[in-house]
Amino acid sequence: MEKYVGKDIPRNDGYDKATGRGLFTHDIFLPHMLYAKVLRSPYAHARVVSIDTSEAEKMKGVRAVCTFENTTSKLFNTSATMVTTNPGAEPVRDQTVFTGEPKYIGDEIAAVAADTEKIAEEAVKKIKVEYEELPYVLDPLEAIKEDAPDVQPELSHKKNICGEVIEINFGDVNKGFEDAEVVVDAFVKLPRVKQAQMETHAAVASYKSDGTLEVYSTTQTPHPTKMIIAYTFDLPESKVHVKNPPYVGGGFGVRIGISGKAEMIATALTMRAKRPVKFVYTRAEDFLYSDTRHGGYLKGRLGAKKDGTFVALDTTAWLNTGAYATFGVELLGVCGACGTAGTYHVPNLHYSGYPVYTNQETAGAFRGFGTPQGTFIVETLVDAMAKKLDMDPIELRKMNTMRETDDNWFPFSLGSIGVNECLDKAAAEIGWKEKRGKCKEGKIRRGVGIACGTHVSNAAPFCVDYNAVTLRIEQDGSMVVQSGIPEIGPGSTTALLQVTADEMGIDFDKITMQFGDTKAGPFDIGSHATRTLYTVSQVIDKAAKKLKADIFDYTAELMKMDREGMYMEGGEIISGDKKVALKDLAYEAHLRGKQFIESDSMVPPNSLPWYAQAAEVEVDMETGMVKVLKVAAAHDVGKAVNPRLAEGQIEGGVIQGVGYACREEMTYVDGKGFYNSGFHNYMLPTADDVPEVVSILVESKDPKGIYGIKGIGEVGVCPTAPAIVSAVEDATGIRFHEIPMTPGRVLKSIKEKEKENA
Amino acid sequence: MSEILKCIINDEEIEACVDPEMRLVDFIRERMHLTGTKIGCKKGECGACTIIMDGNAVNSCLLPVMRAEGTVIQTIEGVEKDGRLHVIQEEFINKGAIQCGFCTPGMIMSSKALLDKNPSPTTDEVKEALGGNICRCTGYKKIEEAVMSAAKRLREEA
């Protein structure tokens, strides 16, 4: 019987955060600390002919100037993939801390550390740089043409492709289309969107006289970040200490590895200045010079029998990864694996994913990691197929979604699949039967739509993914959980302690977690890939079993209690009619020179989190305004450890999906770079314009997860956009193959349709 | 160049020598060491730096420090009294209105400014009062629930 798992325990960092006492990287001020500012390229592609820093160096208060000339030119990758690419495959290392050949508007040329931010800013302006402009390319479909300018010629296996073209083959797709009786095609264009986490990238680095480097950081992955810094600056990993302070103001994937380049630049400067250096990205820098979601193009063809049975699916993605790979290769993999090939049982599949270099800001990880893009093309095809077959889109989906017994390409067992239950519950909540396909007339038209899919619960076995914890009983019987995992917002440290408390039989408030720090615990790959609760709960479970065995063995001998059938509950060790408080036992053990400590590590299995979301929209046919009225989000979470926290993940993800569908978009202006430098020109959803969101938790109890847990973190955003697009089609009869559906785009399409009909 | 600033912050009289070019948020964070007030954009667009000045929620990032002269200011650190959380803080924790926590102080200050003036807000009034505070984690639903629930509790306790 679970005492804590399944309960809405208020999060254990709530007090810290509600009082403003909890510290973030922005809040770190160290004695003797300097402030950094960066000089960036004004050109999309150029070569630095000359650089003169002498005027900057002469300024009072300037303590260090770093450029590509005096800083290591070792190649690295800001993303954690640099240290998590599977054995045998070579990670892409294509960036340097500063560059003499900038490849996008904003690429880092030099940086200054000074006594104040103002002095640093002035000094940056005094650095004289002469550039020679070089040809550039901005669009992924242009970039793969043979005559396009090269972005990373030494590192591209094919024209402007970073790493490799990802291929997934299952069955025989050509034969599948021969057998198909009905075929539909689609081509979609998706925007770049920004994570826009509330705390901008930041680092405070301090290189000490004993040769150690301490880095306060906004990273989602302290250990991999430590490895990337140590590798690039030739420091032993044991001397690099990376920590969150302990909180991180959101992430959504944008800092899996290095936060922009904050840790690298602060480290270069502190090693030169020998004083702590703080580098905080302005909001404009965060928007314009750090990873976005991948935008680009996807093409697809779906073949089915007349009864609706899918027989073949062929998809291709060309996504814009920008000037540097970061997660380009892996993300195109997930786009294919989960987004296009994961949801439906299709006996003949093919997918090609092209991660394309261009001379733009990098694209990297953002909640969903390729799954939203892949889901978008597949759900577009499925709706088109339903229309062509004149079938209900939900019925068509339900007959084709993956079943536990289906052959499939996944390199692990499927586990529980709650997708059809999600479809039914989302449909019921939105009022599908009453509302879908009803005659639409007049100025304001309403419609409903739906989309579904799956993702992963960690990165294994596609990437290196493992973690370790240390569990320790203190001398008074209270407990410490040590892990390198960070808390970036979801409430992981609360949910993990709920699991720990139940596993151990110790009260929740007697357990404390150290986290977000390379010194807090042994290696942990970090908070990403929807993995934190799923994977860390597994390794805690493994270590807890050993810890309990040790405690029970000791208790049996010392207290002369029967080891057989011994268990712990409410902080008491019980066997038959005898019991002893862990508090007393731990102290008795202490007096005899014994502390209970266990450490363990493991590679997690993987489980598929399923979902379906139904949306209701209202479209103003005169203004082109799409208003999302409601999203019913049904998610198969396996088991909700803390339902309220799980709902929070879904609600936040859905609203990001609403933005993706309706108005968020990074707009590039040739010669100037991206236009979206802040919240005034990148329109995020706000409290006064968000739709009603109803979260529905489906608990399919996954056979591999502890207590049946699956991942939850990323999936809220994955099906929202295609569900809304489907609802807009229901309302207007127009299927949008490009998002966001801004009033301008919607109005244009309405007018085109009116012309066609005239 | 410097000037003398006199104001009240969290019930304490403050007298400080300041650079008038400094923004109020920097004074609060770097001189008063009240780092609960956050900087999300420094352009008045996100509300992370919201404080209550003379009863109104304001973006402290937009204000030159001398605009605080003679005012009564409350920051997030002044909301908890005698070791007891304010009802709004409790409801933010209980209702799951907090995730990463970076927008939370600003959200709580905007909520408090609203409830101090209007103890019985409608949902629309809450949405409007929080319209200038961006949260990227929660989707706002649980924040609105927390504010409505706090309003109810405050009315009951009054």
Side-chain angles (χ1 to χ4, degrees):
Chain A
M1 183 62 197
E2 287 97 54
K3 189 172 168 189
Y4 298 103
V5 170
K7 304 277 184 345
D8 288 331
I9 309 274
R11 54 189 299 150
N12 54 13
D13 56 5
Y15 185 96
D16 245 6
K17 289 176 174 176
T19 54
R21 291 187 195 175
L23 293 179
F24 294 79
T25 305
H26 283 202
D27 304 329
I28 302 299
F29 295 90
L30 300 179
H32 225 212
M33 189 179 83
L34 304 171
Y35 296 82
K37 285 287 175 188
V38 169
L39 176 70
R40 298 175 180 280
S41 168
Y43 300 110
H45 192 190
R47 193 175 62 82
V48 175
V49 178
S50 67
I51 180 164
D52 177 3
T53 59
S54 56
E55 290 298 312
E57 281 170 63
K58 273 186 226 155
M59 275 180 71
K60 190 166 181 282
V62 169
R63 308 295 173 174
V65 179
C66 285
T67 72
F68 62 92
E69 287 181 334
N70 66 9
T71 306
T72 177
S73 58
K74 209 163 168 184
L75 288 167
F76 64 92
N77 185 329
T78 53
S79 86
T81 57
M82 187 179 119
V83 295
T84 61
T85 300
N86 275 339
E90 192 60 25
V92 180
R93 296 188 193 94
D94 58 3
Q95 304 194 52
T96 51
V97 182
F98 302 104
T99 181
E101 191 195 318
K103 296 180 188 302
Y104 79 99
I105 293 176
D107 219 348
E108 293 86 356
I109 311 291
V112 174
D115 292 352
T116 67
E117 265 191 313
K118 207 170 158 184
I119 297 171
E121 212 168 316
E122 287 302 312
V124 161
K125 286 181 195 156
K126 292 199 173 170
I127 299 174
K128 293 188 197 108
V129 187
E130 194 189 331
Y131 297 93
E132 176 196 340
E133 285 188 68
L134 297 171
Y136 58 87
V137 61
L138 303 171
D139 183 86
L141 293 182
E142 291 299 318
I144 55 174
K145 291 180 181 164
E146 275 317 307
D147 58 348
D150 288 305
V151 182
Q152 297 270 12
E154 298 87 11
L155 294 159
S156 302
H157 299 293
K158 279 178 117 173
K159 183 75 183 185
N160 283 328
I161 300 297
C162 74
E164 56 185 322
V165 177
I166 306 293
E167 296 284 347
I168 295 175
N169 280 296
F170 182 70
D172 181 342
V173 81
N174 292 326
K175 192 180 169 300
F177 279 112
E178 281 169 24
D179 295 343
E181 291 164 344
V182 188
V183 172
V184 291
D185 289 281
F187 183 83
V188 299
K189 185 180 177 195
L190 302 176
R192 282 184 168 218
V193 287
K194 198 73 189 93
Q195 296 84 352
Q197 76 296 338
M198 288 311 293
E199 186 185 23
T200 60
H201 298 307
V204 182
S206 182
Y207 186 61
K208 299 181 177 173
S209 47
D210 62 358
T212 58
L213 175 75
E214 180 180 57
V215 186
Y216 296 84
S217 146
T218 48
T219 183
Q220 300 176 222
T221 59
H223 280 282
T225 300
K226 168 198 75 182
M227 294 173 74
I228 297 168
I229 294 170
Y231 169 89
T232 308
F233 292 95
D234 288 315
L235 296 166
E237 286 178 18
S238 64
K239 291 191 189 295
V240 179
H241 178 194
V242 175
K243 59 179 165 186
N244 301 139
Y247 301 122
V248 180
F252 315 115
V254 74
R255 35 208 182 200
I256 303 170
I258 305 299
S259 310
K261 265 193 199 167
E263 295 87 345
M264 306 308 262
I265 290 167
T267 295
L269 289 166
T270 186
M271 288 181 77
R272 185 157 287 268
K274 306 284 191 294
R275 284 169 61 173
V277 174
K278 182 173 189 173
F279 180 34
V280 177
Y281 275 49
T282 64
R283 180 55 64 182
E285 285 182 302
D286 198 291
F287 261 106
L288 304 176
Y289 317 127
S290 73
D291 294 359
T292 67
R293 188 188 292 293
H294 281 73
Y297 306 90
L298 294 99
K299 179 181 83 168
R301 167 169 286 190
L302 175 65
K305 293 286 188 189
K306 278 181 188 154
D307 69 355
T309 309
F310 296 166
V311 290
L313 174 64
D314 191 2
T315 48
T316 308
W318 299 269
L319 299 184
N320 185 345
T321 206
Y324 302 100
T326 77
F327 278 105
V329 187
E330 294 72 16
L331 188 133
L332 268 291
V334 173
C335 176
C338 300
T340 73
T343 309
Y344 300 100
H345 172 63
V346 190
N348 304 291
L349 275 171
H350 171 252
Y351 164 82
S352 294
Y354 293 79
V356 188
Y357 279 129
T358 65
N359 292 106
Q360 284 188 343
E361 173 181 23
T362 52
F366 182 2
R367 199 177 211 161
F369 198 80
T371 292
Q373 293 94 326
T375 303
F376 195 95
I377 183 71
V378 169
E379 293 300 86
T380 299
L381 290 166
V382 172
D383 271 4
M385 183 62 80
K387 204 170 169 181
K388 201 157 183 179
L389 292 169
D390 196 24
M391 281 181 73
D392 178 75
I394 294 180
E395 290 313 311
L396 180 64
R397 281 176 169 81
K398 279 169 65 182
M399 67 183 281
N400 284 292
T401 44
M402 200 76 85
R403 286 158 300 197
E404 286 162 43
T405 50
D406 283 335
D407 282 345
N408 64 84
W409 72 271
F410 279 107
F412 47 84
S413 67
L414 297 179
S416 64
I417 301 178
V419 65
N420 284 3
E421 189 180 342
C422 290
L423 281 162
D424 285 339
K425 288 190 166 162
E429 177 62 36
I430 211 77
W432 183 267
K433 283 201 177 108
E434 308 83 67
K435 293 174 182 168
R436 176 77 179 189
K438 296 293 176 283
C439 179
K440 322 284 172 177
E441 281 178 356
K443 178 177 180 282
I444 305 289
R445 298 183 189 178
R446 285 193 176 192
V448 294
I450 202 158
C452 63
T454 189
H455 192 56
V456 284
S457 295
N458 66 88
F462 308 107
C463 284
V464 175
D465 190 315
Y466 71 103
N467 50 15
V469 289
T470 299
L471 309 181
R472 188 173 91 212
I473 303 294
E474 298 292 68
Q475 288 69 26
D476 65 351
S478 62
M479 183 177 175
V480 178
V481 177
Q482 296 177 299
S483 162
I485 199 83
E487 168 62 73
I488 64 168
S492 315
T493 55
T494 304
L496 284 168
L497 293 193
Q498 289 178 248
V499 172
T500 309
D502 275 345
E503 286 287 310
M504 289 299 299
I506 296 176
D507 286 343
F508 179 82
D509 59 8
K510 293 282 195 299
I511 312 176
T512 299
M513 189 160 171
Q514 286 180 288
F515 58 92
D517 187 327
T518 54
K519 283 190 179 168
F523 187 84
D524 186 293
I525 205 78
S527 187
H528 63 92
T530 302
R531 69 182 295 280
T532 307
L533 176 59
Y534 178 85
T535 60
V536 183
S537 64
Q538 306 234 9
V539 70
I540 285 176
D541 172 69
K542 196 174 171 204
K545 287 194 166 82
K546 280 163 57 183
L547 183 64
K548 276 196 293 190
D550 185 27
I551 293 169
F552 293 165
D553 288 347
Y554 194 85
T555 306
E557 193 174 328
L558 186 72
M559 308 305 291
K560 306 281 179 269
M561 283 164 65
D562 191 358
R563 176 70 174 77
E564 193 66 29
M566 190 177 279
Y567 64 101
M568 191 144 52
E569 193 179 274
E572 288 182 326
I573 304 151
I574 303 162
S575 179
D577 54 3
K578 286 175 115 176
K579 61 181 171 186
V580 58
L582 179 61
K583 184 178 188 297
D584 298 330
L585 180 87
Y587 194 70
E588 289 301 322
H590 160 71
L591 295 177
R592 289 161 180 79
K594 162 85 177 169
Q595 182 171 21
F596 303 107
I597 305 178
E598 285 294 347
S599 223
D600 217 327
S601 79
M602 71 182 287
V603 176
N606 213 326
S607 299
L608 300 173
W610 296 88
Y611 46 79
Q613 290 180 10
E616 180 171 22
V617 302
E618 198 172 75
V619 183
D620 185 324
M621 302 298 281
E622 284 176 13
T623 65
M625 183 65 85
V626 173
K627 189 177 179 193
V628 182
L629 301 173
K630 178 173 175 174
V631 177
H635 285 259
D636 171 13
V637 299
K639 167 74 186 171
V641 173
N642 185 317
R644 188 178 285 128
L645 292 177
E647 285 168 14
Q649 287 305 293
I650 295 168
E651 288 159 12
V654 166
I655 296 305
Q656 290 177 351
V658 171
Y660 191 37
C662 298
R663 64 189 196 196
E664 290 181 35
E665 181 172 29
M666 296 291 284
T667 307
Y668 196 86
V669 182
D670 197 1
K672 290 187 175 169
F674 280 102
Y675 154 83
N676 316 80
S677 58
F679 297 124
H680 62 290
N681 52 19
Y682 184 87
M683 300 309 284
L684 289 171
T686 59
D688 51 358
D689 61 11
V690 292
E692 179 189 1
V693 179
V694 177
S695 316
I696 301 158
L697 300 174
V698 170
E699 298 189 316
S700 68
K701 292 274 174 75
D702 193 79
K704 286 172 280 180
I706 300 303
Y707 296 105
I709 298 168
K710 296 183 182 190
I712 176 72
E714 292 178 275
V715 286
V717 75
C718 294
T720 318
I724 293 170
V725 171
S726 172
V728 169
E729 183 181 21
D730 187 45
T732 63
I734 301 167
R735 183 76 191 195
F736 283 83
H737 293 96
E738 184 178 0
I739 52 169
M741 294 177 289
T742 53
R745 273 191 194 119
V746 173
L747 214 50
K748 188 165 164 261
S749 299
I750 290 171
K751 282 185 180 154
E752 278 167 12
K753 190 167 187 235
E754 279 169 359
K755 260 190 209 161
E756 273 171 38
N757 293 347
Chain B
M1 195 176 75
S2 61
E3 291 193 41
I4 302 294
L5 167 74
K6 285 186 189 176
C7 63
I8 293 172
I9 299 183
N10 299 335
D11 301 329
E12 265 188 56
E13 285 180 26
I14 304 295
E15 191 172 329
C17 186
V18 298
D19 171 357
E21 285 190 24
M22 194 176 212
R23 307 276 185 99
L24 179 56
V25 71
D26 292 326
F27 176 75
I28 289 170
R29 285 174 54 82
E30 297 182 25
R31 292 285 301 279
M32 302 304 297
H33 308 293
L34 297 170
T35 55
T37 302
K38 304 298 182 199
I39 297 173
C41 67
K42 230 175 180 181
K43 291 195 167 166
E45 295 167 358
C46 77
C49 64
T50 307
I51 57 168
I52 298 178
M53 181 189 264
D54 290 337
N56 297 312
V58 297
N59 286 324
S60 62
C61 76
L62 286 181
L63 298 175
V65 63
M66 288 309 290
R67 283 282 296 280
E69 176 64 25
T71 64
V72 177
I73 287 172
Q74 190 176 43
T75 71
I76 187 68
E77 289 87 350
V79 176
E80 183 186 10
K81 297 274 183 217
D82 306 323
R84 250 204 91 199
L85 290 179
H86 190 279
V87 167
I88 299 173
Q89 292 172 309
E90 285 182 355
E91 289 307 295
F92 265 65
I93 296 169
N94 293 337
K95 291 287 182 290
I98 299 170
Q99 286 191 29
C100 86
F102 200 81
C103 78
T104 307
M107 282 285 180
I108 290 175
M109 298 317 283
S110 287
S111 307
K112 185 167 185 296
L114 170 73
L115 298 189
D116 284 350
K117 285 187 211 165
N118 177 0
S120 307
T122 63
T123 311
D124 282 346
E125 284 169 336
V126 170
K127 283 172 185 274
E128 197 189 330
L130 300 180
N133 291 77
I134 293 176
C135 169
R136 190 60 158 165
C137 294
T138 64
Y140 304 103
K141 182 178 173 179
K142 293 191 175 355
I143 293 176
E144 284 157 33
E145 286 170 6
V147 179
M148 290 305 279
S149 171
K152 184 162 172 276
R153 271 186 61 193
L154 286 166
R155 288 195 302 273
E156 284 164 5
E157 286 171 21

